[in-house]
């Protein structure tokens, strides 16, 4: 059975254009190279570090990453479910794969709640990403209203069922699907789920995977936590049995805080 490698993924959202991205990546690479613990862990494949810049910055990020001695994964923040067509303003998986991406974030709460993406739309994107060989990071999570009603697990289960309904075999999961639990009420608010609450929902997600896809899938799929992750709370979150990393927003925009999360999350 494959070991679950901790994954620290920085979602930059609508921040950092091409020039700023290139500068940041070079600073990040330099900082990692100067940190023996992180550098050695990356070289030994004991952790994974990824960045998710805006579409316009992906190619510049990829060029900077390719020139480095350390391994940093690259992903996009979204994609359309068609390869091409009359979809003004959209970007296809074919396009982002050409920029060097290995991953794509799908179903982020901001896509669901600001841009109105439905479970059906997210499911089409999941299928397309897998067909293209892009690893999806599927985001699920409840709003504050849903949490207060006590229906967190109901909401998360519905989102998982709908997004993964076309997936029937373990082989599909070997492509590297990642799931991120992001309570909507904790994103960008400074609030976070307690370590115990985050663990409870991540354990529920793993139980869902076991019930629907078998124990091997449940034990191999990485489950991340996202929602106001910072250096001072990373250790507690990462010490939880079913949390395999973090999807990091604002704290990934500064090299120092991003590395602080990785360092504390490794300890």
């Amino acid at each position: 059975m494959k070991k679950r490698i901790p994954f620290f993924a920085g979602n930059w959202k609508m921040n950092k254009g091409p020039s700023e991205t290139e500068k940041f990546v070079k600073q990040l690479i330099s900082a990692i190279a100067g940190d023996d613990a992180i550098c050695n862990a990356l070289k030994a494949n004991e952790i994974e570090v990824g960045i998710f810049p805006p579409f316009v910055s992906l190619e510049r990020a990829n060029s900077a990453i390719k020139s480095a001695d350390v391994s940093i994964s690259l992903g996009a923040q979204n994609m359309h479910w068609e390869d091409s067509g009359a979809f003004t303003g959209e970007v296809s998986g074919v396009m982002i794969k050409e920029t060097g991406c290995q991953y794509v974030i799908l179903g982020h709460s901001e896509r669901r709640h600001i841009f109105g993406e439905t479970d059906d739309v997210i499911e089409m994107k999941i299928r397309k990403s897998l067909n293209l060989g892009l690893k999806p990071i599927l985001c699920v999570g409840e709003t504050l209203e849903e949490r207060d009603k006590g229906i967190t697990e109901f909401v998360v289960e519905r989102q998982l069922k709908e997004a993964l309904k076309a997936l029937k075999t373990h082989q599909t999961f070997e492509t590297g699907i990642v799931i991120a639990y992001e309570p909507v009420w904790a994103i960008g608010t400074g609030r976070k789920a307690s370590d115990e609450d985050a663990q409870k929902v991540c354990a529920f997600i793993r139980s869902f995977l076991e019930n629907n896809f078998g124990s091997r899938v449940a034990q191999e799929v990485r489950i991340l936590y996202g929602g106001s992750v910072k250096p001072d709370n990373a250790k507690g979150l990462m010490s939880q049995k079913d949390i395999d990393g973090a999807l990091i927003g604002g704290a990934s925009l500064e090299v120092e805080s991003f590395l602080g999360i990785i360092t504390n999350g490794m300890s």
Side-chain angles (χ1 to χ4, degrees), residues 78-79 81 105-109 111-113 116-129 136-140 158-160 162-165:
N78 188 33
M79 57 170 269
W81 62 87
I105 297 171
L106 298 174
H108 192 280
S109 66
R111 300 301 312 177
R112 294 178 189 265
H113 298 289
E117 290 192 5
T118 64
D119 289 331
D120 287 340
V121 164
I122 293 161
E123 190 268 338
M124 288 191 289
K125 292 182 177 186
I126 292 283
R127 279 193 285 119
K128 174 56 70 173
S129 69
I137 297 181
L138 169 63
C139 299
V140 297
R158 187 204 74 228
Q159 292 171 339
L160 290 168
E162 292 301 312
L164 303 176
K165 63 186 177 185

Side-chain angles (χ1 to χ4, degrees), residues 41-114:
L42 281 170
K43 289 180 178 178
N45 200 33
E46 294 173 348
I47 64 168
E48 183 175 6
V49 174
I51 57 171
F52 294 74
F55 291 130
V56 297
S57 302
L58 289 171
E59 192 165 3
R60 195 77 69 90
N62 187 46
S63 295
I65 288 170
K66 287 196 297 185
S67 67
D69 292 330
V70 297
S71 176
I72 297 175
S73 298
L74 181 65
Q77 300 174 19
N78 188 33
M79 57 170 269
H80 197 273
W81 62 87
E82 295 287 357
D83 292 337
S84 61
F87 304 103
T88 300
E90 291 293 330
V91 176
S92 74
V94 173
M95 295 172 184
I96 63 175
K97 190 173 182 183
E98 189 175 338
T99 67
C101 288
Q102 301 95 45
Y103 288 94
V104 59
I105 297 171
L106 298 174
H108 192 280
S109 66
E110 290 158 6
R111 300 301 312 177
R112 294 178 189 265
H113 298 289
I114 297 176

Side-chain angles (χ1 to χ4, degrees), residues 174-186:
E174 288 181 338
T175 60
I177 292 175
V178 178
I179 296 173
Y181 168 55
E182 291 198 312
V184 180
W185 48 271

Side-chain angles (χ1 to χ4, degrees), residues 1-50:
M1 189 172 294
K2 293 186 294 186
K3 179 183 177 182
R4 299 199 304 268
I5 299 170
F7 189 11
F8 300 92
N11 175 19
W12 294 359
K13 307 188 180 185
M14 198 173 69
N15 295 287
K16 299 189 186 298
S19 297
E20 192 177 0
T21 290
E22 182 177 16
K23 180 181 178 181
F24 178 93
V25 173
K26 288 180 178 179
Q27 291 175 342
L28 177 63
I29 290 168
S30 177
I32 289 174
D35 188 307
D36 288 342
I38 295 177
C39 194
N40 291 337
L42 281 170
K43 289 180 178 178
N45 200 33
E46 294 173 348
I47 64 168
E48 183 175 6
V49 174

Side-chain angles (χ1 to χ4, degrees), residues 207-225:
S207 176
F208 170 89
L209 293 173
E210 181 168 9
N211 293 336
N212 289 272
F213 300 100
S215 59
R216 185 176 175 186
V217 167
Q219 292 307 309
E220 292 183 356
V221 169
R222 291 182 292 181
I223 302 173
L224 313 183
Y225 171 80

